[in-house]
Amino acid sequence: RRIIADHMVMSKKVSPHVTNVLEVDVTKLVRWREKNKDVFFRHEGVKLTYMPMITEAVAKALVTYPQLNVSVDGYNILFKKHINIGIAVSLNDGNLIVPVVHDADHLNLNGLAVAIDSLAIKARDNKLMPEDIDGGTFTITNFGTFKSLFGTPIINQPQVAILGVGYIEKKPAVIETPEGDTIAIRHKMYLSLSYDHRVVDGMLGGNFLHFIADYLENWEG
């Protein structure tokens, strides 16, 4: 707990945090998962959560916007060759650990789902190896696990950005149709991106977050 505390305080002191929030219509994603989760479980042996899809979207976004897959060393910006995405896991003792999916951009959805499930189990069983938590270049934290709508996460140093994922809930929304606007029930969630304003400006952070949102809103599987 003391290590986590020191790390969080250091992050706030080192990085000027800015957080952008977007509401995302994930109705297509929810329907796709509902349709495919049973077959997926039979084939892969793991439950299909939303985290593999979100991780895939983040990996694609980091390929498109490599300026967020960096770290800062003094006045130098270090671009990372690998996209290693850390996913925060709450442990049974109330602490937190961030196991890392290495080279996430090279894995398909099935590979991401298996890797994330395996790391989460190892984390909760206290069986993570040093390499399982080393080398992360970007982090995702899931506030939705606790039914929080969104949060303003603290950057996991020496990274420069972290994505917060909110709870998915049904909401009435105005939908544009050829016949005019109508109100429909849609599945919505908030994404929040905290980033280091030393190296990431608002346009870059906003474009990165929009990329992830668009990828999930237009999910095809």
Side-chain angles (χ1 to χ4, degrees):
R1 187 71 254 172
R2 189 167 72 181
I3 293 170
I4 296 170
D6 290 343
H7 195 61
M8 294 297 97
V9 170
M10 180 271 288
S11 183
K12 276 293 193 176
K13 287 181 178 179
V14 168
S15 295
H17 282 56
V18 177
T19 303
N20 288 10
V21 180
L22 272 182
E23 187 177 42
V24 188
D25 186 332
V26 290
T27 305
K28 287 184 179 179
L29 182 64
V30 170
R31 289 173 178 168
W32 182 88
R33 175 184 172 272
E34 196 62 33
K35 180 180 178 182
N36 291 279
K37 64 180 182 180
D38 292 338
V39 172
F40 189 91
F41 183 77
R42 287 198 298 270
H43 285 177
E44 301 296 338
V46 300
K47 291 182 178 179
L48 181 60
T49 68
Y50 292 105
M51 192 53 65
M53 293 85 119
I54 294 165
T55 305
E56 180 177 297
V58 169
K60 300 282 187 186
L62 290 170
V63 170
T64 305
Y65 296 99
Q67 304 96 315
L68 279 95
N69 199 55
V70 304
S71 63
V72 180
D73 180 16
Y75 290 109
N76 297 315
I77 300 173
L78 306 179
F79 284 78
K80 305 298 183 179
K81 292 181 179 178
H82 299 274
I83 292 175
N84 301 331
I85 299 177
I87 298 174
V89 176
S90 296
L91 302 177
N92 295 327
D93 61 3
N95 284 315
L96 184 76
I97 198 163
V98 185
V100 177
V101 179
H102 291 86
D103 294 311
D105 55 319
H106 294 165
L107 296 174
N108 62 15
L109 187 67
N110 297 43
L112 288 170
V114 171
I116 291 168
D117 184 77
S118 173
L119 287 169
I121 291 172
K122 288 169 72 174
R124 294 188 177 111
D125 290 343
N126 199 28
K127 292 181 178 178
L128 287 172
M129 302 300 289
E131 58 268 23
D132 292 327
I133 57 174
D134 187 47
T137 62
F138 187 96
T139 297
I140 302 171
T141 183
N142 186 4
F143 296 109
T145 301
F146 314 106
K147 295 193 175 181
S148 295
L149 294 181
F150 66 89
T152 54
I154 299 174
I155 297 164
N156 185 16
Q157 298 292 330
Q159 300 165 24
V160 299
I162 180 170
L163 182 75
V165 178
Y167 181 63
I168 297 175
E169 60 178 353
K170 292 181 181 180
K171 287 185 176 182
V174 177
I175 305 297
E176 295 181 0
T177 72
E179 291 76 31
D181 293 344
T182 186
I183 295 177
I185 303 299
R186 308 292 289 179
H187 294 269
K188 297 287 192 83
M189 76 171 178
Y190 290 101
L191 295 177
S192 54
L193 179 74
S194 292
Y195 51 89
D196 187 336
H197 211 350
R198 293 178 299 170
V199 292
V200 181
D201 290 329
M203 184 175 75
L204 175 58
N207 286 340
F208 180 83
L209 189 57
H210 264 288
F211 183 101
I212 297 169
D214 289 342
Y215 194 89
L216 296 175
E217 284 192 342
N218 297 292
W219 182 264
E220 295 179 355

